[in-house]
C-alpha cells in the first residue's frame, strides 16, 4: 500500500532521531518515495548524509539552499507534492511551533502549506510529554485534523521510565499502511475470520492436528483490519502474533471450541471467512491418563465434528456473506464447487496441493475463487498478503454492488 506514495518525513531535535534512519529504510523498502526535511537541531543527533543515503534524495534543511545562486526550497511545492507528511520524531518545540502557526523554519512552513494528511509522532521525556503545554498542543493539532501516533511507554534517555518514547518505526509504517489501505465501503463492517489448525485431544499429552500455520487467515485479518473493518479472529493454536492493532482474537483449541466461538459471533457478522483447517473427526473418547505403549497395533474410534460452514451457511441471514476455503488434492474444481453449493457459501477459495508454493506453511499461495453467481476468478502465485488483498477486493466489490 505504500508503493509509489510520496512521503515527506520531518525529523526534529530529539535523541530518538536516530530511529529515523530505520524508518526511512522501511519506507523505501515498502516502495515509498521519501523526502526528508530536518530541523537544525535534528542535525546534532543524526547527519543529513545518513538520511540522504537511505532515502536516495538530498535532505532539505533550509529555505535558502544556495544564497549565491538564489537557489531556494519551495515549501509550498513540497506541501502539494506529498501524499502524507510525517513528523517523526516530533519534539515538544516542533509541536508548539506547528500548533501555534509559527513558520520560522522549513519544516513548520511546510506543515502550514501541506494539503495532505499529517501525522505527528511525539518523542520527549515523560514530564515534557505530560506537561499541560504539550498535551494542549497535541489536542490543538488534533483539532486541526492532524493524526497523532502516540508515544510509547518504556525507558527514556533520562533514565526515567514512562510514556515519551518515539513509536517504533515498524508501528509508524503500519499506521501509514493502514491509512492508505482504508476502504470506505468496509469501514465499520464486522468481519469474522477463522484461522489456523485445530487440535483434537487423545489424552492429556497427545492430540490429532494438521499442518496449518494460520498464515493465510492472519494475512486476511490484517488486510481487512487495515482497510478499516472491525475484525474478530477465531484462531486455532499458532505461533503468530496479532495480525494488526485492533483485531480481536479469540483463541480456541478443538473443532468444538472453534464452532462454539464462531457460532456465537456469527449473528453480528457481515462477513464470515472460514479459513481455518478444522478437523473433520475427533476421538470419540479422550483418555484421562496418558495412553501407554502396550500393543503392537492401536485403533482409535473417531466421530464427526460439526461442519461449521454447512451449519452456519444454513443460518445465514439476508445481508450476511460467507466465504469458505477448500484445500484439495484431486478433482479440485468439482469438489470445491460442490462445497460452495452444498454449504450455501457466497465464495469458495480453492487451493490445490498440486500447485508448487501453495498450501500449508508457505508464505505464498495460489488460489481460484468461485462464487455463487457462477463466476471463476483465477489468480497467480502471490504472497499471502497479496492474496488477502485480492480477496478483500472481491468482497468490497460485492458489498458495494447495487444488489448487495
Amino acid at each position: 500500500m505504500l508503493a509509489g506514495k510520496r512521503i515527506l518525513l520531518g525529523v526534529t531535535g530529539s535523541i530518538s532521531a536516530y530511529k529515523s534512519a530505520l524508518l526511512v529504510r522501511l519506507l523505501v523498502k515498502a516502495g515509498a518515495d521519501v523526502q526528508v526535511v530536518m530541523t537544525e537541531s535534528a542535525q546534532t543527533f543524526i547527519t543529513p548524509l545518513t538520511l540522504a543515503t537511505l532515502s536516495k534524495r538530498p535532505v532539505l534543511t533550509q529555505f535558502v539552499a544556495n544564497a549565491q545562486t538564489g537557489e531556494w526550497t519551495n515549501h509550498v511545492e513540497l506541501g502539494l507534492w506529498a501524499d502524507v507528511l510525517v513528523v517523526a520524531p516530533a519534539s515538544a518545540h516542533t509541536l508548539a511551533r506547528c500548533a501555534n502557526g509559527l513558520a520560522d523554519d522549513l519544516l513548520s512552513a511546510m506543515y502550514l502549506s501541506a494539503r495532505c494528511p499529517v501525522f505527528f509522532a511525539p518523542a520527549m521525556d515523560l514530564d515534557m510529554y505530560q506537561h499541560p503545554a504539550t498535551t494542549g498542543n497535541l489536542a490543538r493539532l488534533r483539532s486541526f485534523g492532524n493524526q497523532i501516533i502516540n508515544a510509547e511507554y518504556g525507558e527514556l534517555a533520562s533514565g526515567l521510565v514512562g510514556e515519551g518514547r518515539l513509536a517504533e518505526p515498524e508501528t509508524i509504517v503500519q499506521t501509514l499502511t493502514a491509512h492508505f489501505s482504508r476502504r470506505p465501503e468496509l469501514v465499520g463492517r464486522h468481519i469474522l475470520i477463522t484461522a489456523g489448525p485445530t487440535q483434537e485431544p487423545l489424552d492429556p499429552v497427545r492430540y490429532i492436528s494438521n499442518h496449518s500455520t494460520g498464515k493465510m487467515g492472519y494475512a486476511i485479518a490484517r488486510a481487512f483490519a487495515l482497510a478499516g473493518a472491525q475484525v474478530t479472529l477465531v484462531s486455532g493454536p499458532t505461533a503468530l502474533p496479532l495480525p494488526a492493532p485492533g483485531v480481536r482474537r479469540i483463541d480456541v483449541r478443538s473443532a468444538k471450541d472453534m464452532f462454539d466461538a464462531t457460532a456465537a459471533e456469527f449473528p453480528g457478522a457481515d462477513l464470515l471467512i472460514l479459513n481455518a483447517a478444522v478437523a473433520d473427526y475427533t476421538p470419540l473418547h479422550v483418555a484421562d491418563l496418558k495412553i501407554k505403549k502396550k500393543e503392537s497395533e492401536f485403533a482409535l474410534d473417531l466421530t464427526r465434528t460439526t461442519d461449521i460452514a454447512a451449519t452456519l451457511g444454513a443460518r445465514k441471514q439476508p445481508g450476511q456473506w460467507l466465504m469458505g476455503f477448500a484445500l484439495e488434492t484431486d478433482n479440485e474444481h468439482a469438489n470445491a464447487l460442490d462445497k460452495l453449493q452444498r454449504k450455501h457459501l457466497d465464495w469458495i477459495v480453492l487451493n490445490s496441493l498440486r500447485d508448487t508454493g501453495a498450501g500449508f506453511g508457505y508464505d505464498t499461495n495460489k488460489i481460484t475463487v468461485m462464487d455463487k453467481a457462477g463466476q471463476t476468478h483465477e489468480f497467480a502465485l502471490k504472497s499471502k498478503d497479496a492474496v488477502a488483498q485480492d480477496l478483500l477486493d472481491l468482497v468490497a466489490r460485492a458489498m458495494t454492488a447495487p444488489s448487495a
Side-chain angles (χ1 to χ4, degrees):
M1 285 299 167
L2 295 180
K5 301 301 182 185
R6 294 171 296 192
I7 298 177
L8 276 175
L9 175 61
V11 181
T12 74
S14 164
I15 183 60
S16 58
Y18 76 91
K19 291 185 179 180
S20 61
L22 178 55
L23 178 56
V24 170
R25 184 175 180 275
L26 291 174
L27 292 171
V28 170
K29 186 177 180 180
D33 190 0
V34 182
Q35 175 61 66
V36 179
V37 178
M38 299 180 72
T39 64
E40 183 178 351
S41 58
Q43 298 169 59
T44 63
F45 294 99
I46 187 170
T47 68
L49 178 60
T50 298
L51 299 183
T53 302
L54 293 171
S55 67
K56 301 178 177 61
R57 279 175 167 266
V59 170
L60 305 177
T61 60
Q62 301 289 336
F63 284 112
V64 180
N66 190 323
Q68 292 181 338
T69 63
E71 183 183 351
W72 66 293
T73 303
N74 191 328
H75 60 279
V76 175
E77 200 171 83
L78 282 170
L80 296 175
W81 170 83
D83 292 312
V84 67
L85 166 61
V86 185
V87 184
S91 65
H93 186 66
T94 294
L95 292 174
R97 271 177 168 166
C98 295
N100 291 282
L102 301 180
D104 56 346
D105 70 354
L106 179 60
L107 178 56
S108 55
M110 190 178 62
Y111 162 70
L112 292 178
S113 301
R115 295 184 182 179
C116 60
V118 179
F119 292 78
F120 288 93
M124 62 201 74
D125 204 63
L126 68 91
D127 293 312
M128 297 174 70
Y129 189 57
Q130 295 173 352
H131 195 281
T134 302
T135 57
N137 287 331
L138 288 170
R140 187 172 174 82
L141 290 169
R142 283 192 185 95
S143 73
F144 296 158
N146 306 141
Q147 298 187 53
I148 309 299
I149 305 174
N150 292 327
E152 297 179 353
Y153 183 94
E155 185 177 355
L156 305 170
S158 65
L160 299 176
V161 176
E163 287 186 323
R165 286 172 56 123
L166 176 68
E168 291 301 319
E170 292 84 357
T171 301
I172 297 173
V173 171
Q174 193 170 50
T175 301
L176 295 177
T177 301
H179 168 73
F180 288 113
S181 302
R182 203 164 180 82
R183 299 284 289 267
E185 65 268 41
L186 293 175
V187 173
R189 297 273 195 169
H190 182 198
I191 312 299
L192 178 60
I193 301 167
T194 67
T198 59
Q199 296 176 352
E200 308 306 311
L202 298 173
D203 61 21
V205 178
R206 305 177 182 89
Y207 57 82
I208 301 172
S209 190
N210 55 62
H211 297 295
S212 174
T213 61
K215 289 180 179 180
M216 188 69 252
Y218 275 57
I220 295 170
R222 179 164 49 253
F224 277 91
L226 293 178
Q230 176 189 346
V231 176
T232 298
L233 177 64
V234 181
S235 177
T238 78
L240 299 174
L242 194 69
V247 171
R248 175 171 164 252
R249 185 171 71 186
I250 301 173
D251 292 317
V252 298
R253 183 184 177 194
S254 68
K256 182 181 184 304
D257 296 338
M258 185 161 284
F259 170 74
D260 290 343
T262 306
E265 296 290 329
F266 182 59
D270 295 299
L271 167 67
L272 170 58
I273 301 177
L274 294 164
N275 175 255
V278 183
D280 293 323
Y281 292 89
T282 191
L284 187 60
H285 303 289
V286 179
D288 294 329
L289 302 175
K290 179 182 175 182
I291 300 170
K292 297 296 184 180
K293 181 172 61 176
K294 295 179 180 178
E295 308 296 333
S296 59
E297 295 182 358
F298 178 72
L300 281 175
D301 291 323
L302 302 175
T303 185
R304 283 284 299 271
T305 60
T306 302
D307 189 320
I308 299 176
T311 303
L312 299 185
R315 298 180 188 177
K316 185 175 64 169
Q317 298 296 311
Q320 285 187 306
W321 304 76
L322 253 67
M323 176 181 285
F325 277 68
L327 178 63
E328 302 291 343
T329 58
D330 62 288
N331 299 320
E332 291 95 333
H333 284 76
N335 288 336
L337 188 59
D338 174 67
K339 183 180 286 189
L340 170 74
Q341 296 168 344
R342 182 166 43 85
K343 300 186 180 184
H344 308 289
L345 304 175
D346 296 284
W347 300 273
I348 188 75
V349 182
L350 171 62
N351 296 124
S352 174
L353 283 182
R354 299 188 187 194
D355 292 325
T356 303
F360 295 140
Y362 292 100
D363 292 325
T364 55
N365 204 357
K366 185 177 185 295
I367 64 169
T368 298
V369 183
M370 292 175 274
D371 63 33
K372 64 180 182 181
Q375 294 180 309
T376 299
H377 310 268
E378 300 270 358
F379 297 92
L381 183 70
K382 300 180 180 182
S383 71
K384 286 185 173 176
D385 282 326
V387 170
Q389 195 62 47
D390 288 334
L391 296 176
L392 184 147
D393 289 339
L394 281 177
V395 167
R397 284 198 297 271
M399 285 185 167
T400 54
S403 60

